[in-house]
Amino acid sequence: MRYLPLTEADRREMLAKIGARSVDELFRDVPQSARLGGKVAGLPDHAGELEVERAFQAYAARNVSPASAPFFIGAGAYRHHVPSTVDYMIQRGEFLTSYTPYQPEITQGTLQYLFEFQTQVTLLTGMEVANASMYDGSTGAAEAVLMANRVTRREKALISGGLHPQYRSIIETTAKWEGFHAVVGKPDVDGLEDLIAAIDKETSCVVVQNPSFFGHVRDFGKLAEACHAAGALLIVVVTEVVSLGLIKPPGDMGADIVVCEGQSIGNGLGFGGPYVGLFATREKYMRQMPGRLCGETVDADGKRGFVLTLSTREQHIRREKATSNICTNAGLCALAFTVHLTLLGEAGFKRLAELNHAKASQLADKLAGVSGVQVLNDSLFNEFTVRLPKPVAPVVEALAAKKILGGLPVSRLLPDDPSVANLLLLAATETSTDRGMDALVAGLKEVL
Amino acid sequence: MDRSQGRTGGIVSDGASAAPATFTGNKALQIEEPLIFEMGQPGRCGVDLPEPPKVKDRLNGLRRTGEIGLPGLSEPQVVQHYTRLSQKNYAIDMGVYPLGSCTMKHNPRINEKVARLPGIGDLHPLQPVSTVQGALALIDALAHWLKTLTGMPAVAMSPAAGAHGEMCGMMAIAAALEAKGERAERKIVLAPESAHGTNPATAAALGFIVKPIPANDRGRVDLAALKAALGPEVAAIMLTNPNTCGLFESEIIEISQAVHEAGAYFYCDGANFNAIVGRVRPGDLGVDCMHINLHKTFSTPHGGGGPGAGPVVLSAALAPYAPYPWIVKNGDTWSVAEDGSTVDGTPLGRLKAFHGQMGMFTRALAYIMSHGADGLKQVAEDAVLSANYVMAALKDVMTPAFEGPCMHEALFDDGFLKDTGVSTLDFAKAMIDEGYHPMTMYFPLVVHGAMLVEPTESQAKEDLDLFIGALRSLAERAKSGTAAEDFKAAPRFAPRRRLDETLAARKPVLRWRPSNSFKQAAE
């Protein structure tokens, strides 16, 4: 077996040194009834690299790659071009096959990029401090609510109807099993929801998304003021991090915690994961943050270096009193994010955001010209909602049959809400072409 | 796992290198590297993007104004910067990485290749289900392997990491208790003091009260004490097996029977599955759920601290509560049951957007297919053999914490360092100068000055012998009683000497700012 270096002769010598006659003797603490006579039954034996690769090519062949079809799906995961340099860098073995930097003297590479990552996150979000990443945006949103509950010592979270339905669902699951109240708004299809009146003295936080799940761009400055007046925190979720190149950042609107899905920068779609959650807050709440933090210090020779820090918040020290049970972050996905954002820089990131906005704006204009299609958004970044004259799910299937991946039926994520049955959510990015948009328009005209 | 945080030990600056300093501060291949924020120039960019077409602004008057503050670098600068940073890291690709509890085994590159295939790596999670049948089949294939290898009837695939899997499993237990109307009274979760910190953290987050189970002098759960602790208030036991002392819980069947007889559930922490994969099925031991760290046993790269993946296998009693999404096979096609869908059960909710860590599923399945049932059994055997070999080769100069064969980890205490002035931390830092990543230190807590060595199955015997030789030499030097200062000054040859963790925690600097740009101490 190509991955196993020990030879039969090695194994005999090692057993002799141990003083055991067989490997079975080393497993003597396993109860007799649980010892298998041989290998686990009903599974194939080992395979060569060629056979393995063929098997995966066969899986791939049964899917439709977004690269092979006009593509307009977003809803929390966005198709962007990732420069080749990014994938090369994250595949360097020194990054790929290292672990959490427990020994900082020999993991300064990881620690320095995490420090760069944390700084980039604070700059994009307009916040003061950021952690070394979360599993993804969706789990980060639930952790943000738990943090707000700790900070305010309250137990009621108000959840906007503009929040991604699966994010909402994760917060509701957390609320049910960890024991707090999540009050959920109706789907905010038109972007006019006003949560200020719902805030009271028991509210720990208000969770909004910008741009919203339905694509609306909103100013949450007044909502932040209302939160702070009531002693609650404002949590702003951003599922399309590229939008921060063009839209006023949540920190400037008064957000207390910002959670972003960072997948768009550096990380491919990957059928939903692994992605990278960005998590930023105000300095005064730093010690209530979940997750790993990287900080600057000096070594014994006085040279600058980086370490994991403030670990007294964490499970391996605090155990049942920890701020969260999280151990790891999304280190390699954070590296991909950092390398891509460093390649983009100030000018590139802003231009990327402009391009996305322009492409989506063009798509909205084209679709507005299709009979029966109503664009619902006055404001948008790279994603928006349209109303069709009939239920969307079969329309999207019919488009797929024409090899067009034409957006997401909102009903897929909100199956119990008949009012969204005719809504289609569409995204465009720098990867969208005029030809692709025209194909979508033509396809829609045929199937409507 | 590691307990070194907050233990800085003595920092000794003794002008360790006798050679004169270089003018640049560089040391041949070790190049001092600034932060990207100290390198950028306006007008530089590492991408070429077209001029955006002019369109109507739809930003609701919320256009971002002013500088974000991102530095401008060209592509070659970015490549050089991150390449230089990479050279400051130790990694599995470089040698023995014996970090106990972390299973730092070889990461095959075919796994990276297949995860990036067009039609796998570039799929959107919300494409029409008809266009992702291969992806769903792939997840189902991995699920089949995981269920068969563990002898369990169901698996929840979506948890993003081991700790996330623990949360999923304990939520499933809470859901099962709720269904029986027992959630209010069963408030206690039992866990050994040797447990990973995530176990009590998870249980506490769900409102359970964590009570310790004592260990016996053989490093295993004290069965009589456990039986005495069980009762109508106990919801579950959380137990790692093989345990964090590197030992198999020999009375595991009696434990699971006692737990079930008391109406409680058995959560098994699967962090150490590598010791038994392909050789023992946890389902035969009576566990109700177990998370599987795909980044440990199944070799998805640790990536500097994630991403991981933590699918949870579930017994028939807990399977109905598995969270959304469920991948359902109907004849030759697959569908995804998402929130609100009717399934054969009452899902506890949702833990993560989309369908889980697909990139990790792909790599893990490639690893599993490469090994097959025969190779996985050999993995467990070689991992256990290597750990016992290390133990046998060091037991005369270091102090094993327990007698008898270990599983895939060899645990030592600091008895051999007594009165030498050298601590576990000092010993570990001296290993760095010898070219090795240290073992896990100060964990488990139940062993004084613990050193947990997990060689894995990936090291050749010659390399294990070199590693053993280095540890023997260090142990003998420590025991000479005259080398404490040398140990306290280690490491000398790493990219950095010991770092001041107290300073980092007392005055946290968590981001770069123009005003606090670091000035190197005057030479």
Side-chain angles (χ1 to χ4, degrees):
Chain A
M1 211 282 137
R2 61 192 180 278
Y3 302 143
L4 299 177
L6 298 184
T7 63
E8 279 307 323
D10 289 337
R11 290 176 184 127
R12 279 196 301 275
E13 271 181 58
M14 291 163 77
L15 282 169
K17 175 83 184 171
I18 295 163
R21 274 162 305 174
S22 69
V23 159
D24 287 342
E25 225 177 283
L26 303 177
F27 284 85
R28 67 186 183 210
D29 289 326
V30 177
Q32 194 66 48
S33 66
R35 291 186 204 171
L36 298 176
K39 58 198 179 191
V40 174
L43 295 170
D45 279 345
H46 67 277
E49 187 166 319
L50 178 62
E51 288 74 38
V52 171
E53 194 171 334
R54 277 188 187 139
F56 282 88
Q57 280 164 344
Y59 284 123
R62 296 170 65 186
N63 301 319
V64 178
S65 162
S68 70
F71 183 87
F72 302 97
I73 309 171
Y78 301 89
R79 180 165 183 254
H80 292 286
H81 174 73
V82 177
S84 312
T85 299
V86 175
D87 203 30
Y88 159 70
M89 269 309 153
I90 68 168
Q91 287 197 71
R92 283 192 67 95
E94 302 93 327
F95 288 133
L96 184 77
T97 75
S98 189
Y99 195 31
T100 303
Y102 292 126
Q103 299 289 346
E105 299 88 350
I106 47 171
T107 44
Q108 284 297 301
T110 298
L111 286 158
Q112 183 165 335
Y113 83 63
L114 290 176
F115 191 78
E116 293 176 350
F117 170 85
Q118 288 176 182
T119 307
Q120 288 174 328
V121 172
T122 60
L123 292 170
L124 295 193
T125 55
M127 301 297 282
E128 291 161 359
V129 291
N131 74 10
S133 76
M134 308 295 286
Y135 304 138
D136 68 359
S138 72
T139 55
E143 286 285 344
V145 173
L146 290 169
M147 175 175 151
N149 293 349
R150 286 194 297 275
V151 168
T152 61
R153 295 167 193 257
R154 298 179 185 178
E155 295 190 333
K156 188 168 91 177
L158 297 183
I159 314 298
S160 163
L163 183 67
H164 191 293
Q166 291 189 336
Y167 285 45
R168 186 208 67 201
S169 178
I170 296 161
I171 294 172
E172 287 179 306
T173 301
T174 310
K176 174 164 173 53
W177 300 111
E178 299 200 26
F180 62 89
H181 304 292
V183 181
V184 176
K186 286 201 173 65
D188 182 29
V189 174
D190 52 15
L192 297 173
E193 175 190 66
D194 187 352
L195 292 170
I196 289 177
I199 300 171
D200 61 26
K201 292 288 176 199
E202 284 157 23
T203 308
S204 70
C205 60
V206 178
V207 186
V208 295
Q209 179 177 323
N210 204 35
S212 76
F213 175 71
F214 298 97
H216 307 285
V217 181
R218 301 196 60 187
D219 190 350
F220 294 110
K222 291 224 161 52
L223 181 62
E225 284 171 21
C227 283
H228 298 156
L233 304 192
L234 176 65
I235 297 170
V236 177
V237 172
V238 178
T239 59
E240 172 49 295
V241 70
V242 175
S243 68
L244 294 175
L246 199 56
I247 296 173
K248 184 176 173 179
D252 291 2
M253 296 182 186
D256 298 287
I257 305 173
V258 180
V259 176
C260 307
E261 174 50 69
Q263 169 267 326
S264 287
I265 299 295
N267 291 277
L269 285 169
F271 202 51
Y275 291 172
V276 52
L278 320 186
F279 194 105
T281 187
R282 303 284 173 201
E283 198 149 358
K284 62 184 169 184
Y285 303 133
M286 177 171 68
R287 287 171 199 273
Q288 291 295 335
M289 286 179 97
R292 290 269 148 90
L293 286 167
C294 171
E296 183 183 299
T297 187
V298 294
D299 78 352
D301 289 339
K303 289 182 176 167
R304 175 170 68 185
F306 303 94
V307 291
L308 293 180
T309 193
L310 299 182
S311 53
T312 48
R313 301 163 298 117
E314 292 186 62
Q315 49 76 27
H316 63 283
I317 305 287
R318 294 277 282 171
R319 300 178 76 84
E320 67 269 20
K321 296 188 182 66
T323 56
S324 140
N325 80 341
I326 288 178
C327 313
T328 52
N329 50 29
L332 203 69
C333 301
L335 175 63
F337 178 95
T338 291
V339 175
H340 189 182
L341 190 57
T342 304
L343 285 165
L344 287 164
E346 182 89 13
F349 186 60
K350 285 178 169 171
R351 175 167 282 197
L352 179 65
E354 289 278 6
L355 256 177
N356 273 260
H357 184 54
K359 292 281 188 182
S361 222
Q362 285 181 324
L363 180 63
D365 287 340
K366 283 179 192 273
L367 290 174
V370 177
S371 163
V373 176
Q374 181 196 0
V375 177
L376 299 186
N377 297 58
D378 289 328
S379 67
L380 60 91
F381 171 63
N382 70 352
E383 187 162 26
F384 57 92
T385 309
V386 300
R387 189 184 299 280
L388 303 186
K390 57 185 182 186
V392 166
V395 171
V396 166
E397 281 295 338
L399 288 170
K402 295 173 180 294
K403 287 276 187 282
I404 297 168
L405 297 170
L408 175 77
V410 172
S411 59
R412 174 160 172 187
L413 300 187
L414 293 168
D416 299 330
D417 189 336
S419 73
V420 302
N422 290 12
L423 300 183
L424 174 65
L425 187 64
L426 294 135
T429 70
E430 78 283 358
T431 65
S432 308
T433 61
D434 287 345
R435 244 178 80 186
M437 293 189 207
D438 292 341
L440 173 65
V441 167
L444 265 180
K445 282 178 177 164
E446 286 170 36
V447 300
L448 281 182
Chain B
M1 276 304 301
D2 178 287
R3 311 289 308 174
S4 69
Q5 308 310 316
R7 290 169 206 247
T8 53
I11 292 183
V12 179
S13 177
D14 63 352
S17 49
T22 56
F23 297 107
T24 52
N26 300 335
K27 291 177 191 165
L29 295 181
Q30 279 301 330
I31 297 173
E32 292 298 311
E33 189 63 12
L35 293 160
I36 51 170
F37 306 98
E38 297 157 344
M39 300 169 68
Q41 294 288 344
R44 281 207 192 110
C45 189
V47 297
D48 290 306
L49 292 168
E51 183 78 30
K54 293 275 173 272
V55 294
K56 185 177 83 177
D57 185 319
R58 290 173 151 103
L59 296 172
N60 193 19
L62 292 166
R63 182 171 278 269
R64 186 169 193 161
T65 54
E67 292 285 299
I68 299 170
L70 299 171
L73 284 78
S74 61
E75 183 178 297
Q77 288 179 291
V78 174
V79 170
Q80 288 174 7
H81 174 70
Y82 289 104
T83 302
R84 287 170 176 170
L85 287 190
S86 75
Q87 291 172 334
K88 299 176 192 299
N89 266 9
Y90 194 86
I92 300 170
D93 280 1
M94 295 161 72
V96 180
Y97 204 134
L99 199 59
S101 214
C102 298
T103 312
M104 304 299 284
K105 62 169 68 181
H106 174 59
N107 296 159
R109 290 314 197 274
I110 179 67
N111 305 355
E112 296 303 308
K113 184 176 183 184
V114 297
R116 288 168 169 82
L117 288 175
I120 292 180
D122 61 352
L123 295 178
H124 192 287
L126 297 175
Q127 282 181 220
V129 169
S130 60
T131 68
V132 292
Q133 286 295 304
L136 299 176
L138 191 164
I139 296 175
D140 198 38
L142 177 62
H144 177 71
W145 275 96
L146 297 180
K147 288 184 287 187
T148 310
L149 288 169
T150 56
M152 300 284 277
V155 59
M157 295 296 287
S158 67
H164 207 214
E166 278 180 35
M167 189 61 82
C168 176
M170 292 304 290
M171 280 180 179
I173 288 173
L177 289 173
E178 187 170 272
K180 290 198 286 186
E182 296 178 3
R183 185 146 184 248
E185 48 272 38
R186 293 192 181 266
K187 294 299 270 185
I188 294 171
V189 167
L190 301 173
E193 282 164 344
S194 59
H196 296 112
T198 49
N199 294 177
T202 302
L206 293 169
F208 291 113
I209 299 156
V210 183
K211 292 210 167 159
I213 317 169
N216 60 27
D217 56 7
R218 295 174 53 247
R220 273 91 170 175
V221 167
D222 184 327
L223 185 60
L226 170 70
K227 284 181 172 168
L230 286 168
E233 295 178 341
V234 175
I237 178 176
M238 295 183 86
L239 199 61
T240 308
N241 191 40
N243 70 26
T244 59
C245 297
L247 305 170
F248 198 92
E249 291 286 351
S250 45
E251 295 178 302
I252 189 85
I253 302 228
E254 291 82 350
I255 291 171
S256 62
Q257 279 171 353
V259 166
H260 290 147
E261 277 164 21
Y265 294 91
F266 178 6
Y267 185 94
C268 184
D269 181 326
N272 292 339
F273 190 43
N274 202 52
I276 57 172
V277 60
R279 219 174 183 286
V280 178
R281 293 180 304 185
D284 295 337
L285 305 173
V287 313
D288 288 296
C289 55
M290 182 182 90
H291 74 261
I292 301 169
N293 304 81
L294 296 185
H295 47 286
K296 295 181 181 175
T297 311
F298 298 117
S299 180
T300 72
H302 281 73
V312 182
V313 287
L314 300 164
S315 65
L318 296 183
Y321 309 104
Y324 290 116
W326 289 25
I327 310 282
V328 183
K329 190 174 184 192
N330 332 290
D332 292 335
T333 61
W334 283 264
S335 60
V336 185
E338 286 163 331
D339 311 55
S341 305
T342 303
V343 291
D344 188 16
T346 47
L348 61 86
R350 171 178 282 274
L351 282 158
K352 189 182 179 305
F354 312 125
H355 322 301
Q357 304 282 66
M358 177 66 167
M360 285 22 232
F361 301 160
T362 309
R363 290 169 176 87
L365 182 59
Y367 175 89
I368 285 173
M369 289 168 65
S370 297
H371 282 82
D374 56 335
L376 290 172
K377 178 169 177 282
Q378 192 68 56
V379 161
E381 291 177 2
D382 283 0
V384 170
L385 180 64
S386 295
N388 278 283
Y389 181 63
V390 168
M391 177 84 88
L394 290 173
K395 67 182 177 192
D396 60 325
V397 291
M398 292 171 66
T399 36
F402 296 100
E403 280 192 22
C406 60
M407 295 305 283
H408 68 315
E409 295 170 312
L411 178 61
F412 300 91
D413 61 30
D414 61 0
F416 73 102
L417 296 174
K418 191 166 189 293
D419 300 330
T420 62
V422 177
S423 68
T424 291
L425 179 71
D426 300 330
F427 193 82
K429 296 300 184 191
M431 286 172 66
I432 291 176
D433 277 338
E434 300 296 337
Y436 292 107
H437 194 286
M439 67 287 269
T440 289
M441 307 177 299
Y442 299 108
F443 181 84
L445 306 180
V446 294
V447 168
H448 198 270
M451 294 172 227
L452 188 62
V453 180
E454 182 179 2
T456 81
E457 72 280 8
S458 299
Q459 299 302 331
K461 179 172 174 295
E462 305 90 287
D463 295 319
L464 286 178
D465 287 337
L466 288 172
F467 173 71
I468 289 163
L471 287 188
R472 290 189 67 88
S473 300
L474 287 173
E476 279 159 9
R477 183 193 289 165
K479 289 201 274 195
S480 74
T482 59
E485 290 311 306
D486 281 350
F487 276 89
K488 298 236 174 279
R492 291 185 174 81
F493 307 120
R496 282 291 178 269
R497 309 232 5 241
R498 281 195 214 185
L499 289 138
D500 190 341
E501 296 184 14
T502 310
L503 174 70
R506 194 181 297 143
K507 294 181 181 168
V509 178
L510 305 181
R511 61 178 289 193
W512 179 85
R513 289 179 198 271
S515 55
N516 71 2
S517 187
F518 188 87
K519 305 287 187 292
Q520 291 286 320
E523 296 296 328

